[in-house]
Amino acid sequence: MKALISVDMEGISGIVHSSETNPERYDYQRGQELMTAEANAVIAGVLDAEPTAEVLVADAHGTFRNLLPERLDRRARLVRGKPRALNMLAGLDEATDAALFVGYHVRAGEGPGVLAHTMNDQILDVRVSARAPGEAVRAAGRSLGEIGLNAAMAGHLGVPVVLLSGDDAACAEASDLLPGAVTVPVKEALGMAAAVTLHPEEARDRLRRAAADAVTRRTEIPPLTLTGPLEVEVDLAIPHTVDLAVLVPGVTRARGARTVAFTAPDYGTAYRLILLLAQLATIRPA
């Protein structure tokens, strides 16, 4: 059995402010310690259920260099650093039996949710619509944040997301997208930078039990699949990014000055283009 644990930071118990998630801020070391401890709880839960499992842990926040390697459970292997294929899901492949999302957050524009965003603060919304070949789009695009975008990429490879932890808003988003997945709310969001949070040790206990349960039930939880062709629209915070984005073949201006659109033959292609747009969004005018 092979499991991938993707660990973000904003949804970790006790974390409520960017000073705890930003390497340049004074509280970042505390955030690293809390993040690593929750990752270890989930590793332990997976191995409680499947003692011979292969466990990969993808550091999935910011620089992808946040988890403390020397404190991570030695039974797991760590995927660290960037750039890398599949971004927050590095290490995932068709041989993976289950994906577990730890410390995730609600998408941009939703909430209240602690440190809500999608990829970075320059992506305002991502909408994905499926259509049959030769037909018009079947339904209005569904807005997806990191939970949905990453779960759909896992689904593209046939892998179910069996567990998600974060604040209550993130767990609600996951429950809507991923029926059957186990969710573990470790804090109740009061706003962008405020929450009622579990004690970290209590959160870890719950995560360990939930991870064991989720892995045990992995065959009962369907992957999230979005079949192509797919129509994608991305709302960007600044028009300069639109100017860069339309240099990518197939990407066009859509409604207004801040939206771009493209068609992808399958979700894997769509995912990679969305990641590219997120990177372009970090480039400021010269």
Side-chain angles (χ1 to χ4, degrees), residues 74-92:
R74 64 188 300 168
R75 297 172 294 176
R77 290 185 295 149
L78 174 62
V79 186
R80 192 168 190 260
K82 67 192 312 183
R84 64 197 194 194
L86 296 189
N87 202 47
M88 296 175 74
L89 299 179
L92 188 81

Side-chain angles (χ1 to χ4, degrees), residues 131 133 156 226-232 262-270 273:
R131 68 177 184 179
H156 180 68
L226 299 177
T227 55
L230 300 168
E231 300 282 351
V232 180
F262 62 87
T263 300
D266 56 59
Y267 187 77
T269 303
L273 266 173

Side-chain angles (χ1 to χ4, degrees), residues 41-280:
V42 176
I43 295 168
V46 170
L47 293 171
D48 287 344
E50 295 281 350
T52 61
E54 175 187 359
V55 180
L56 287 176
V57 178
D59 190 322
H61 173 72
T63 62
F64 296 169
R65 291 182 287 108
N66 309 278
L67 290 166
L68 301 169
E70 68 277 12
R71 295 195 189 177
L72 198 69
D73 190 316
R74 64 188 300 168
R75 297 172 294 176
R77 290 185 295 149
L78 174 62
V79 186
R80 192 168 190 260
K82 67 192 312 183
R84 64 197 194 194
L86 296 189
N87 202 47
M88 296 175 74
L89 299 179
L92 188 81
D93 58 25
E94 293 88 345
T96 307
D97 297 289
L100 302 91
F101 292 174
V102 179
Y104 270 56
H105 52 81
V106 73
R107 65 182 178 84
E110 286 297 300
V114 175
L115 299 172
H117 65 279
T118 298
M119 301 294 185
N120 55 51
D121 58 6
Q122 301 302 310
I123 304 294
L124 302 179
D125 195 14
V126 179
R127 296 178 297 279
V128 180
S129 303
R131 68 177 184 179
E135 295 182 3
V137 175
R138 290 198 295 266
R142 178 163 194 171
S143 292
L144 297 176
E146 292 171 33
I147 295 171
L149 294 170
N150 289 327
M153 186 62 226
H156 180 68
L157 297 176
V159 181
V161 176
V162 300
L163 175 139
L164 180 134
S165 72
D167 67 17
D168 55 329
C171 289
E173 184 176 318
S175 294
D176 182 49
L177 287 167
L178 309 169
V182 177
T183 59
V184 185
V186 298
K187 54 194 172 190
E188 178 188 350
L190 300 178
M192 187 70 173
V196 179
T197 180
L198 294 177
H199 188 284
E201 291 180 2
E202 175 64 22
R204 295 166 204 159
D205 288 346
R206 295 187 187 189
L207 283 166
R208 182 169 183 167
R209 293 193 298 268
D213 178 44
V215 166
T216 300
R217 298 197 294 107
R218 63 187 181 274
T219 59
E220 304 169 17
I221 301 170
L224 174 62
T225 55
L226 299 177
T227 55
L230 300 168
E231 300 282 351
V232 180
E233 289 188 341
V234 180
D235 293 342
L236 300 161
I238 57 176
H240 173 70
T241 308
V242 175
D243 296 339
L244 293 174
V246 296
L247 299 176
V248 179
V251 177
T252 61
R253 295 179 188 270
R255 295 172 285 103
R258 295 188 175 184
T259 302
V260 297
F262 62 87
T263 300
D266 56 59
Y267 187 77
T269 303
Y271 183 77
R272 287 171 172 84
L273 266 173
I274 292 165
L275 294 181
L276 176 58
L277 293 176
Q279 288 301 307
L280 292 177

